[in-house]
Amino acid sequence: MTTGATATVRGTRAPEALGRTLMHEHVFAVSAALANDRPELAFPHGRAAAIDATVARLQEVKDAGIDTIVDVTVFGHDRDIPALVEINERVDLNIVVATGFYTEDLPSKTFEIRQALARQRGRNFYVDVFVADIVDGIGTTGVHAGIIKCVTGPEGLTRGSKGLLRAAAIAARETGVPITTHSDPHTRGGLEQLDLFAAEGVDLIRVVIGHSGDTTDTDYLKAVMDTGATIASDRFGYDLPGTPATPERVAVIADLCAQGYADRIVVSHDAMLHTDWLDADYTAMFPRWTPTYIPTEVVPALRDAGVSEADLQQILVHNPARLLAAVAEGAS
């Protein structure tokens, strides 16, 4: 397979230089509307304090042994690339950013109207925006997206989400970057996503099915991985009701590694370092929901569960490097 460099906030990196990687995090997610009109909600202690706190938390992540974070904050999730540039100037850690749209159905009215206009002209607005983020860069920042994010929820492939997943597939084929998803494993949503991607000609080894760690159904997880796709156990520390606690998540990964699936697993937290989506009272309910939890607590627990050092290296280093390497269209 012909591979290329990985786009990060600070420029391109060789995939083998990414090191230990968390594949699904949110570094800075702030609504432009709230930042402009209700800044006390977006930045309760001021924007400068929010930047400082995020830098400090990322430094803790780096000090814990993580080298790269994939920030999957996209349109609809209040992406702020200029803030990431400012943050990344102060901490020596790779940040890969995403393009895509976060919604379980229709996107924003702006995107919906622009898509309707584009269709009248024989184009696809979603694809055009995603490809531009990857090829041309985002705004005036010079930062290029290195992965595409798309979403389905418990309702599965709704009319709106189907169009966005198809756009993600087309953009992935055109640019060679991978796809990562938000999925509902309780409805086996990853398989539905993969069926659509396969029908659109996506190489499924370039797809990560997100939130797969929210189930202990190993038959489902193996069915996803048997397509060639990768599963993400990416909510460590986020102990939502009805989802497995850390010991169960660890046990599932150990079981899958013992069955030979270590080459199709990645891990993360889905943590939000600074966001106006949530407030301090909510995040206080999840004290382990921090992107240092995997290197400090989960990795030792995986070792104790029998996961070998080789498999840990596969999950934390080699799998992300393989996924994040851009692949030329038509390469084999």
Side-chain angles (χ1 to χ4, degrees), residues 3-319:
T3 59
T6 301
T8 78
V9 168
R10 298 186 300 176
T12 56
R13 297 287 183 271
E16 60 270 18
L18 295 176
R20 283 186 162 196
T21 301
L22 301 176
M23 284 291 293
H24 190 120
E25 308 290 353
H26 300 280
V27 176
F28 207 85
V30 173
S31 160
L34 284 181
N36 290 333
D37 302 338
R38 305 301 311 176
E40 74 277 9
L41 297 178
F43 309 111
H45 305 290
R47 184 179 183 278
I51 295 287
D52 288 346
T54 305
V55 169
R57 293 190 70 188
L58 280 180
Q59 187 60 56
E60 291 174 354
V61 174
K62 176 68 175 180
D63 292 344
I66 297 299
D67 304 295
T68 300
I69 279 184
V70 180
D71 185 336
V72 292
T73 312
V74 293
F75 293 107
H77 207 311
D78 303 325
R79 187 178 70 177
D80 188 338
I81 301 302
L84 282 184
V85 172
E86 187 176 347
I87 289 163
N88 211 180
E89 288 174 347
R90 296 171 54 189
V91 60
D92 183 19
L93 184 124
N94 301 312
I95 302 175
V96 178
V97 305
T99 190
F101 204 104
Y102 185 92
T103 177
E104 293 181 2
D105 190 13
L106 294 171
S108 66
K109 200 64 179 178
T110 300
F111 268 64
E112 198 178 351
I113 290 170
R114 292 299 297 265
Q115 174 71 335
L117 293 174
R119 285 186 179 278
Q120 293 173 15
R121 300 159 188 163
R123 298 200 59 82
N124 186 313
F125 178 71
Y126 307 150
V127 173
D128 290 346
V129 170
F130 300 164
V131 170
D133 276 358
I134 296 162
V135 175
D136 301 328
I138 298 168
T140 60
T141 64
V143 175
H144 297 253
I147 196 167
I148 304 169
K149 166 83 170 291
C150 52
V151 175
T152 61
E155 301 302 316
L157 285 171
T158 61
R159 178 173 66 88
S161 66
K162 188 180 296 185
L164 288 163
L165 262 68
R166 283 178 172 155
I170 295 166
R173 288 202 326 265
E174 290 187 7
T175 63
V177 304
I179 295 171
T180 190
T181 77
H182 168 114
S183 73
D184 180 13
H186 305 296
T187 57
R188 301 172 72 86
L191 292 174
E192 186 177 49
Q193 292 174 340
L194 290 167
D195 285 345
L196 183 149
F197 294 144
E200 293 293 327
V202 174
D203 184 349
L204 299 186
I205 69 170
R206 308 287 297 149
V207 177
V208 181
I209 300 300
H211 306 332
S212 296
D214 284 2
T215 183
T216 58
D217 182 355
T218 53
D219 287 339
Y220 162 69
L221 297 175
K222 288 188 288 186
V224 168
M225 291 184 289
D226 285 343
T227 69
T230 296
I231 63 166
S233 185
D234 53 19
R235 281 179 165 169
F236 273 104
Y238 193 26
D239 298 326
L240 290 169
T243 64
T246 294
E248 296 170 284
R249 293 175 189 263
V250 166
V252 167
I253 292 175
D255 180 24
L256 293 173
C257 287
Q259 296 185 57
Y261 286 96
D263 63 339
R264 277 159 282 180
I265 301 170
V266 294
V267 293
S268 211
H269 308 85
D270 198 15
M272 305 179 83
L273 276 67
H274 180 80
T275 183
D276 55 13
W277 279 41
L278 309 171
D279 59 24
D281 289 340
Y282 180 83
T283 56
M285 295 190 297
F286 306 99
R288 297 179 299 180
W289 193 29
T290 171
T292 58
Y293 185 52
I294 284 173
T296 60
E297 302 292 337
V298 174
V299 168
L302 288 166
R303 287 193 184 103
D304 290 345
V307 178
S308 69
E309 292 300 322
D311 283 350
L312 286 171
Q313 189 81 346
Q314 187 74 47
I315 291 167
L316 288 165
V317 178
H318 300 314
N319 294 342

